[in-house]
Amino acid sequence: MKKTIRRFSIAVGLSLMNAANALAQGNGVTAIEKANTEIQSYIDPITNLFYVVCAVVGFIGAVKVYGKWSAGSSDTTRTAASWFGSCVFAVVAVTAIKAFFIG
């Protein structure tokens, strides 16, 4: 008899927890939609900031390549290729992240 009462109590408790979770999900959806809207409002300024950072890093890389070229270093071509590749990757990565969050 005690096991039956205990099982019934556990079943009622779990049912109440399920009901509370089901009711809480309605508020969770609105909170997620609000967070999504806020994140989308930050995407354009952050994207512009990343483009500026890419431009600064690209300029520093260009100065480094020019310095190697002026000094007559033998690995100037490799340095220039890696600098150009990193610039292209940075721009594509920022654009892809923007497309991921907006689209």
Side-chain angles (χ1 to χ4, degrees), residues 28-41:
V29 170
T30 56
I32 290 173
E33 288 175 357
K34 181 180 176 185
N36 185 24
T37 304
E38 287 182 20
I39 287 173
Q40 285 183 353
S41 69

Side-chain angles (χ1 to χ4, degrees), residues 12 15 21 25 30 38 43 57-58 65 67 75 78 91 102:
V12 168
S15 297
N21 284 337
Q25 286 180 0
T30 56
E38 287 182 20
I43 292 298
V57 171
V65 169
D75 66 339
R78 185 179 59 138
V91 170
I102 297 294

Side-chain angles (χ1 to χ4, degrees), residues 10-77:
I10 291 172
V12 168
L14 290 175
S15 297
L16 289 174
M17 283 191 274
N18 272 342
N21 284 337
L23 293 174
Q25 286 180 0
N27 295 334
V29 170
T30 56
I32 290 173
E33 288 175 357
K34 181 180 176 185
N36 185 24
T37 304
E38 287 182 20
I39 287 173
Q40 285 183 353
S41 69
Y42 294 137
I43 292 298
D44 286 331
I46 290 174
T47 302
N48 291 336
L49 176 68
F50 283 153
Y51 283 139
V52 169
V53 169
C54 289
V56 169
V57 171
F59 181 74
I60 292 170
V63 169
K64 182 179 175 184
V65 169
Y66 178 74
K68 283 189 174 242
W69 179 62
S70 295
S73 180
S74 61
D75 66 339
T76 304
T77 305

Side-chain angles (χ1 to χ4, degrees), residues 1-12:
M1 186 71 162
K2 288 183 181 182
K3 286 185 179 182
T4 307
I5 293 173
R6 186 182 310 167
R7 286 183 185 168
F8 180 74
S9 299
I10 291 172
V12 168

